[in-house]
Amino acid sequence: MRPSDLPQVRSLELFESMSDSNFELLMQAAYLQTFPAQLELIAEGDPADFLYIVIEGCVELFARSNGGETTMGMVRPVGTFILAAVLKDAVYLMSARTCKRSRVLMVPSEDVRQLFQRDEAFARAIVVELASCYRTVVKEHKDLKLRTAVERLANRLLRYNLDQGDTGSLELPHGKRTLASLLGMTPENLSRAFNTLKPYGVVVRGNKISLNDLEALANLAKPNPLIDDRTT
Amino acid sequence: MRPSDLPQVRSLELFESMSDSNFELLMQAAYLQTFPAQLELIAEGDPADFLYIVIEGCVELFARSNGGETTMGMVRPVGTFILAAVLKDAVYLMSARTCKRSRVLMVPSEDVRQLFQRDEAFARAIVVELASCYRTVVKEHKDLKLRTAVERLANRLLRYNLDQGDTGSLELPHGKRTLASLLGMTPENLSRAFNTLKPYGVVVRGNKISLNDLEALANLAKPNPLIDDRTT
DNA sequence: CGACGATTTGAATAGGATCAATGGGAGTGG
DNA sequence: CCACTCCCATTGATCCTATTCAAATCGTCG
């Protein structure tokens, strides 16, 4: 465990209010590992042995059923995943793989649960974190059920644009293949959706996107804070 | 607040481990009301003023965007809804309406949050409840992204069958209109999906369904515990 | 330069949605 | 008790969206 990573982890809302001694206890039990790209860290159905924290790189959460596979979310530094499974001492509902070479902190779930029992502040922080996770999935579910593929893409572009400083030009944070799966469509359909958005000022060059008519795009997308806001 | 309802509420996992005095405090601040059918209790976007607990009847959670509307879930006695919004002191992400005449307990969210700060056992119970809610939505999201409409219906029927004693005959717990919306399809499409399932032994008479070839149906549905199980 | 993977494009198909019309109870009022 | 009405569900026809399969193109990396 490299000491220089601790402040980052410590500053996570999840660990912020925890006592120093308890935090150190947790970190001493944890493993920091570096994984190559495209390595499957966990598979859905496995018992939740660890809580994962992405320190560096990027991790894709995905799910399989029958032949299919779909991306459920992306975790970037510094973020945790599969907290709920750890707390319930249940099996993972999602699989996870690295998108690129990544450093990941693995905290044995037994330790997380013990500390959850002993550290009141930690328990409360977990509530806040879980509530946020829950609301995020609800928003994604609404997005999928209430919008067409083109609308989902348009809103996603608007969101990336805001995340990246509202300059009207943005960079896709993941490959188009992944983006398509995240938005619940095929890569071919994503490509066509981009074409559909061309009249609305959306220009694509690789993973760089220019939004040249934000008004028109927003008019089509009809962004809804109760779906698109990641803050509330 | 009718005293005869208290044991039910008390026995909710959420309140079970709470001290008697704190539970009474919470209940004294609460309102028990009876609402007629089809009454909108809350609208998404409203500040979360109350935590709701369904004592009797049935409540539909739904969401709107643009012209559309979709059912997000059904809450039956005794169950709570919109806990996450209350804890985060945020706006509701979902609207709620009664399906039929219902008795609903409304706990001021300020009281819930205060008790959450003061009562450690309550805070822990909330974690478990939230983790369950989270996993439920994740499963629904997987269901929607990884399965066709017919598969979703088939699996839903198998689930209802198990819920109702695995007798091979079941009753739809909600109207077909609602079921369709819950499954993410139109009523017309649901009707056609039932027809598609006829060769698999699915016989529909009103809201009574017979599953006469469970093996064939399961073979088509390919149920997956990581999607369909409500217990884990 | 060549090879590979990712993206795009095209054509055909399938899955769902929409619109319109019909059928079928449940409840109401005569 | 029956006729009427209304709402829900079903059916049919059509349209639109999205998937699939196939092929071409682009870009990157060795």
Side-chain angles (χ1 to χ4, degrees):
Chain A
M1 169 98 238
R2 206 183 298 180
S4 70
D5 299 315
L6 280 174
Q8 286 183 289
V9 180
R10 186 77 167 112
S11 73
L12 282 175
E13 216 181 337
L14 194 57
F15 301 116
E16 216 172 19
S17 51
M18 177 182 270
S19 75
D20 280 341
S21 62
N22 279 340
F23 180 69
E24 274 175 30
L25 222 64
L26 206 58
M27 289 305 109
Q28 271 164 21
Y31 309 92
L32 182 64
Q33 293 207 23
T34 301
F35 297 103
Q38 301 305 326
L39 187 87
E40 191 163 323
L41 301 174
I42 61 176
E44 48 188 305
D46 288 352
D49 293 328
F50 295 95
L51 171 69
Y52 287 77
I53 306 173
V54 181
I55 305 294
E56 209 180 292
C58 187
V59 170
E60 176 186 3
L61 301 177
F62 64 101
R64 279 188 262 255
S65 194
N66 302 329
E69 175 180 316
T70 190
T71 304
M72 300 289 290
M74 308 295 297
V75 188
R76 319 184 127 275
V78 179
T80 70
F81 58 94
I82 46 164
L83 178 57
V86 167
L87 290 169
K88 292 204 72 178
D89 198 5
V91 300
Y92 298 127
L93 289 183
M94 297 185 278
S95 306
R97 70 166 81 92
T98 52
C99 306
K100 43 182 159 182
R101 187 181 164 81
S102 300
R103 285 204 304 149
V104 176
L105 186 63
M106 300 164 58
V107 188
S109 48
E110 189 50 45
D111 295 281
V112 176
R113 283 194 297 271
Q114 273 184 21
L115 209 51
F116 162 67
Q117 288 299 337
R118 284 197 292 107
D119 188 321
E120 203 181 325
F122 185 44
R124 294 183 204 293
I126 285 179
V127 166
V128 175
E129 174 84 0
L130 273 182
S132 300
C133 291
Y134 172 72
R135 285 168 68 88
T136 300
V137 192
V138 167
K139 286 171 191 165
E140 274 160 22
H141 203 61
K142 288 169 66 173
D143 190 42
L144 195 59
K145 284 186 93 174
L146 289 166
R147 287 174 170 160
T148 66
V150 171
E151 286 170 343
R152 293 199 296 277
L153 174 59
N155 280 293
R156 184 63 64 125
L157 293 178
L158 289 172
R159 188 161 109 209
Y160 288 155
N161 178 49
L162 286 181
D163 290 348
Q164 297 176 24
D166 200 7
T167 63
S169 61
L170 61 97
E171 204 162 317
L172 298 178
H174 326 287
K176 288 182 186 167
R177 185 167 214 81
T178 307
L179 178 61
S181 182
L182 203 51
L183 293 174
M185 55 179 127
T186 58
E188 294 95 324
N189 201 27
L190 175 64
S191 185
R192 293 179 173 114
F194 271 122
N195 278 329
T196 306
L197 291 180
K198 206 176 284 181
Y200 299 86
V202 176
V203 176
V204 182
R205 259 192 336 279
N207 67 343
K208 307 225 186 317
I209 315 282
S210 299
L211 307 181
N212 297 321
D213 190 347
L214 281 169
E215 198 183 342
L217 187 60
N219 198 44
L220 168 80
K222 297 186 204 42
N224 179 339
L226 300 178
I227 299 180
D228 307 295
D229 258 27
R230 295 294 104 168
T231 57
T232 58
Chain B
M1 171 95 238
R2 205 183 301 181
S4 70
D5 299 316
L6 281 175
Q8 286 183 290
V9 180
R10 185 76 166 114
S11 72
L12 282 173
E13 215 180 338
L14 195 55
F15 301 115
E16 216 171 18
S17 51
M18 177 184 271
S19 75
D20 281 339
S21 61
N22 278 340
F23 180 69
E24 275 176 31
L25 221 64
L26 206 56
M27 288 305 108
Q28 271 165 21
Y31 309 91
L32 181 65
Q33 292 206 23
T34 301
F35 297 103
Q38 302 305 326
L39 187 87
E40 190 162 324
L41 300 175
I42 61 175
E44 49 189 301
D46 289 352
D49 293 328
F50 294 95
L51 172 67
Y52 287 77
I53 305 173
V54 181
I55 306 293
E56 207 180 294
C58 186
V59 170
E60 176 186 2
L61 300 177
F62 64 101
R64 280 188 261 257
S65 195
N66 301 328
E69 175 181 314
T70 191
T71 304
M72 299 290 288
M74 308 295 295
V75 189
R76 320 185 129 274
V78 179
T80 69
F81 57 94
I82 48 163
L83 178 58
V86 166
L87 290 170
K88 291 204 74 177
D89 199 3
V91 298
Y92 298 126
L93 289 183
M94 298 185 275
S95 305
R97 69 164 81 93
T98 53
C99 306
K100 41 182 159 181
R101 185 180 164 81
S102 301
R103 286 203 304 148
V104 176
L105 186 64
M106 299 165 58
V107 188
S109 49
E110 189 49 46
D111 295 280
V112 176
R113 283 193 297 272
Q114 273 183 22
L115 208 54
F116 161 66
Q117 288 299 334
R118 282 197 292 108
D119 188 322
E120 204 182 323
F122 186 44
R124 293 183 206 292
I126 284 179
V127 165
V128 175
E129 172 83 0
L130 273 181
S132 300
C133 291
Y134 172 73
R135 285 168 68 89
T136 300
V137 190
V138 168
K139 287 171 191 166
E140 275 160 21
H141 203 62
K142 287 169 68 174
D143 190 42
L144 195 59
K145 286 185 92 173
L146 289 167
R147 287 173 170 161
T148 66
V150 171
E151 288 170 341
R152 293 198 296 278
L153 174 59
N155 281 293
R156 184 63 63 124
L157 293 178
L158 290 172
R159 189 160 108 207
Y160 288 155
N161 178 50
L162 285 182
D163 290 347
Q164 297 175 23
D166 201 5
T167 63
S169 61
L170 60 99
E171 203 163 316
L172 298 178
H174 326 288
K176 288 183 187 167
R177 188 169 210 78
T178 306
L179 178 60
S181 183
L182 203 50
L183 293 174
M185 54 179 125
T186 58
E188 295 95 327
N189 201 25
L190 175 63
S191 186
R192 293 184 172 112
F194 271 123
N195 278 329
T196 306
L197 291 181
K198 206 176 287 181
Y200 299 86
V202 176
V203 176
V204 182
R205 259 189 337 278
N207 66 343
K208 308 226 186 316
I209 315 282
S210 299
L211 308 182
N212 296 322
D213 191 347
L214 282 168
E215 198 184 341
L217 187 60
N219 198 43
L220 169 80
K222 298 185 204 45
N224 179 339
L226 300 178
I227 299 180
D228 305 295
D229 258 25
R230 296 294 105 168
T231 58
T232 59

